[in-house]
Amino acid sequence: MVSRLVAQTVGVLERVLRDPRVLPDVVRKARSHLTAQRHQQRLVEYADKVEAPLAGLARVLDVGPDAIRDAMASAGFRRILEEIHAYQPPARARTMGGAGFLEVCYTIVRLTKPAAVLETGVAHGYSSAVILQAMEDNKLGTLWSVDLPMFRSGTVTSTGGAVPQRLRARWELHLGSDRQVLPGLLARTGPIGFFFYDSDTAYESMRRTWQLVWPHLRPGAVVAINVVHANDAYLEFAEAHGLGPTIIPQPKRRGAYQRERQRGERIFYMGLLRKPQAG
């Protein structure tokens, strides 16, 4: 434990020396750890509100369960899953984490057919790959991805490594924090039809990014948020916008869902929202 903490600290210092622009993000992360408990008063509600993925996704998308099953069973999705599972990240990048709920990401894009998708948090690029595959199957769309690589040597060059070359023509990857990149990027994307949030799990970062992106979502746009159970931000944000929460459990750790250095069978939750059609 001590050796890992030392290694992490050294990695952070090395990254700040290489790129001083990340120093404000390092400070914010450290501060968020100190104040985390004050924003974790409602965590029990996530387990209380959880529902089956098929039912929750069908309700959010306003489609029947068969449409979702068909999307998840499609040839395109099977193909990209095979490519993802075959991807072997370099040893230096294996601690970058596992995937979001890939079936959900693919299905949302396949069925809602957005022209613009925004993703924050890339790591290996598993979710990027399935979103791009859904766009390829739709013959429509551009994916704008933002990622602040982990503060460890070697992770920058491995960001998005699982995305097949055949799908990259629809993809723009921007390296930097949400705080740094999004203001300028949102001026170029046009109305966003799907927003997948899988970046910083600190309460302040979540609320700040969602508030920034929300006005840029088109009416009816879907938002999927990974690891919502980290704090109360999702529940508060849904209530502030008059939306009922939809919380679904993610797949157990296998294949691309494997999360390095985590033991046991912790349950991870994804939260879904849909912007009202009236705006």
Side-chain angles (χ1 to χ4, degrees), residues 25-87:
D25 297 295
V26 172
V27 173
R28 285 183 176 87
K29 284 178 179 291
R31 188 168 58 222
S32 70
H33 284 299
L34 296 175
T35 62
Q37 284 191 330
R38 75 175 65 169
H39 302 299
Q40 295 176 335
Q41 304 303 307
R42 304 174 60 183
L43 300 189
V44 67
E45 294 183 41
Y46 289 106
D48 291 342
K49 297 178 185 297
V50 72
E51 60 185 301
L54 191 65
L57 189 56
R59 189 181 67 258
V60 169
L61 298 183
D62 194 23
V63 298
D66 286 345
I68 296 173
R69 292 190 188 97
D70 289 346
M72 293 183 179
S74 68
F77 185 61
R78 292 198 306 271
R79 178 183 181 183
I80 193 62
L81 274 190
E82 290 176 0
E83 291 177 275
I84 286 172
H85 289 310
Y87 172 69

Side-chain angles (χ1 to χ4, degrees), residues 118 120 146 177-187 209 212-213:
L118 174 65
T120 61
V146 179
S177 68
D178 296 351
R179 177 188 59 83
Q180 292 173 323
V181 176
L182 283 177
L185 182 60
L186 290 168
T209 297
L212 179 63
V213 172

Side-chain angles (χ1 to χ4, degrees), residues 60-247:
V60 169
L61 298 183
D62 194 23
V63 298
D66 286 345
I68 296 173
R69 292 190 188 97
D70 289 346
M72 293 183 179
S74 68
F77 185 61
R78 292 198 306 271
R79 178 183 181 183
I80 193 62
L81 274 190
E82 290 176 0
E83 291 177 275
I84 286 172
H85 289 310
Y87 172 69
Q88 294 294 324
R92 65 183 182 277
R94 287 177 186 164
T95 57
M96 288 168 65
F101 201 154
L102 301 181
E103 287 85 349
V104 167
C105 291
Y106 178 87
T107 299
I108 290 172
V109 175
R110 194 74 176 91
L111 296 185
T112 63
K113 296 179 169 56
V117 173
L118 174 65
E119 171 193 39
T120 61
V122 177
H124 296 296
Y126 299 132
S127 56
S128 310
V130 300
I131 290 169
L132 290 165
Q133 181 64 57
M135 289 179 166
E136 186 69 15
D137 294 341
N138 288 340
K139 308 301 181 190
L140 173 70
T142 299
L143 171 62
W144 314 76
S145 298
V146 179
D147 189 84
L148 179 62
M150 296 176 68
F151 298 135
R152 292 187 180 88
S153 178
T155 57
V156 173
T157 56
S158 298
T159 300
V163 177
Q165 194 63 41
R166 65 181 180 85
L167 297 174
R168 295 190 174 216
R170 298 184 180 275
W171 191 32
E172 281 197 20
L173 172 61
H174 298 263
L175 297 181
S177 68
D178 296 351
R179 177 188 59 83
Q180 292 173 323
V181 176
L182 283 177
L185 182 60
L186 290 168
R188 299 200 295 118
T189 61
I192 295 164
F194 174 44
F195 173 36
F196 178 47
Y197 183 91
D198 193 18
S199 47
D200 194 351
T201 57
Y203 174 89
E204 295 83 359
S205 298
M206 286 178 150
R207 291 299 301 262
R208 182 177 61 248
T209 297
W210 304 345
Q211 294 287 12
L212 179 63
V213 172
W214 190 257
H216 296 270
L217 301 179
R218 66 168 173 77
V222 178
V223 179
I225 301 165
N226 210 23
V227 196
V228 290
H229 54 284
N231 53 57
D232 304 334
Y234 169 77
L235 296 172
E236 294 178 2
F237 188 84
E239 291 169 355
H241 289 82
L243 303 173
T246 298
I247 301 165

